[in-house]
Amino acid sequence: MGKCQACSEASELPFTFKMAFQPIVDVSQHSIWGYEALVRGAKGEGAHSILSQLTESQLYRFDQAARVMAIETAGKLFDDPSARLSINFMPNAVYEPKACIQKSLAAARRADFPARNLMFEFTENERMNDPAHVENIVVTYKKLGFLTALDDFGAGYAGLSLLARLQPDLIKIDMELLRNIHVSQAKQVIIAGLASMARDLNIIVLAEGVESEAELTVLRAAGIKLFQGYYFAKPALMSLPPIDNMPKADSMVA
C-alpha cells in the first residue's frame, strides 16, 4: 500500500528518545500478560520531557517513530512468544489507518515480532478532533487482528458514550479511581459497576497504577484480572524489569 501524503511531508524530529517497559500481570494465570511501551527521554526522563517538545507538524513522524522503536525493542527483549506489546498512539496523528500501520507491520517483520500480539491504546484524556475517524481506526485495527485499548477510562472527555461508540477490546481504568480504593466505598461501588458492565460487553478490564496489596485485594474481589503498577514493577528503560510482587493465581486463592 502506498504512503499517504503525511509520510512524505512529516517534519524530522529534533530530539531523541527511548522506550521503557512496564509489565501487565494476569493474576488469574499467575503470569505476565504483556508489557506497555512508554516513551522516555534519552536519559530516562519522563514522557512529558518529550511530548512537551512536539509541534503539530511533528505528530505523525513521532507517532510512527515511537511505534517502530517499541516493536523493534520488544523483538529483542521479549522471550515469551505469547506476550503482548501495548503501544500508545495518537489518534489525531493517524491519517489513513491501513496506510499508517504499514511501518509498524514492517517493523514487526524485521524484529520477528508477532503482529497479532500488538495492542494499540489511546487515551480518553486526549480531545479527539474527529470521533468518527477514531472509530474507523479502532474498527480497522480490529480487522487487522490487533487488540485495541482505551486508556485512562473515567478521567477524560467522553466517558461511557465513547466506550459505547468505540467498543475497544480492553479498558484501562484511570488510576485516580483506583487510588486508595480500599478505604473508599464510593470507589468500590463504581469499580464494581464498571467491571460488571465490561463483562457484559465482553471487554477486558485492566487496573493500572496499582501501588499496594490493599488496592489489589479489593480490585481482585471486583473480578479484575489484569494489573499494572508500581506494586508489581516500575518501568525499566530499554529493558524488562523483574516483578516485585507476583500474587497467587485466582484459582489458588482461598
Side-chain angles (χ1 to χ4, degrees):
M1 181 174 294
K3 294 182 179 180
C4 61
Q5 187 176 3
C7 294
S8 57
E9 293 182 352
S11 302
E12 292 292 339
L13 296 175
F15 52 80
T16 59
F17 63 92
K18 292 183 179 180
M19 285 287 163
F21 293 85
Q22 187 175 35
I24 298 169
V25 175
D26 183 344
V27 298
S28 70
Q29 299 296 321
H30 190 66
S31 65
I32 295 176
W33 185 84
Y35 293 85
E36 180 180 2
L38 301 160
V39 172
R40 293 291 184 264
K43 297 181 179 180
E45 302 92 334
H48 181 73
S49 67
I50 296 299
L51 300 179
S52 62
Q53 299 181 57
L54 284 176
T55 65
E56 189 71 24
S57 64
Q58 295 165 349
L59 289 180
Y60 179 85
R61 180 60 57 87
F62 173 74
D63 187 69
Q64 291 287 326
R67 294 176 186 222
V68 169
M69 179 180 288
I71 294 169
E72 291 184 340
T73 307
K76 297 175 183 177
L77 297 176
F78 287 19
D79 56 12
D80 180 354
S82 67
R84 285 81 165 181
L85 172 64
S86 184
I87 301 174
N88 294 275
F89 77 95
M90 301 176 173
N92 298 333
V94 176
Y95 294 85
E96 202 293 314
K98 286 186 179 179
C100 294
I101 199 63
Q102 296 307 308
K103 286 187 177 181
S104 298
L105 293 174
R109 288 192 293 270
R110 289 194 302 271
D112 195 25
F113 188 90
R116 64 181 180 277
N117 289 350
L118 293 175
M119 180 169 77
F120 291 99
E121 60 179 87
F122 54 99
T123 179
E124 189 186 352
N125 278 322
E126 181 180 353
R127 185 178 293 278
M128 297 176 186
N129 296 334
D130 184 357
H133 175 58
V134 180
E135 184 177 10
N136 181 44
I137 296 172
V138 171
V139 170
T140 301
Y141 282 5
K142 284 186 174 184
K143 288 181 178 178
L144 290 171
F146 308 132
L147 292 175
T148 59
L150 177 56
D151 194 10
D152 299 319
F153 183 74
Y157 293 105
L160 295 175
S161 61
L162 186 66
L163 178 65
R165 179 167 188 169
L166 299 180
Q167 291 282 290
D169 299 292
L170 183 148
I171 56 173
K172 300 180 74 172
I173 299 176
D174 181 67
M175 64 180 65
E176 288 304 315
L177 275 176
L178 309 180
R179 185 64 60 245
N180 294 319
I181 189 173
H182 56 290
V183 295
S184 172
Q185 183 181 12
K187 288 184 177 182
Q188 291 173 26
V189 171
I190 291 170
I191 294 302
L194 287 177
S196 176
M197 175 187 64
R199 284 193 294 271
D200 290 342
L201 293 172
N202 198 30
I203 294 174
I204 301 168
V205 176
L206 188 157
E208 64 176 336
V210 175
E211 295 185 352
S212 71
E213 185 175 358
E215 291 173 346
L216 175 64
T217 300
V218 173
L219 293 164
R220 291 183 73 174
I224 297 174
K225 301 181 184 301
L226 293 186
F227 294 90
Q228 184 178 349
Y230 284 4
Y231 177 74
F232 304 99
K234 293 183 178 180
L237 190 65
M238 301 298 285
S239 62
L240 304 182
I243 302 296
D244 296 325
N245 296 291
M246 177 64 83
K248 292 182 179 180
D250 285 346
S251 60
M252 300 169 61
V253 177

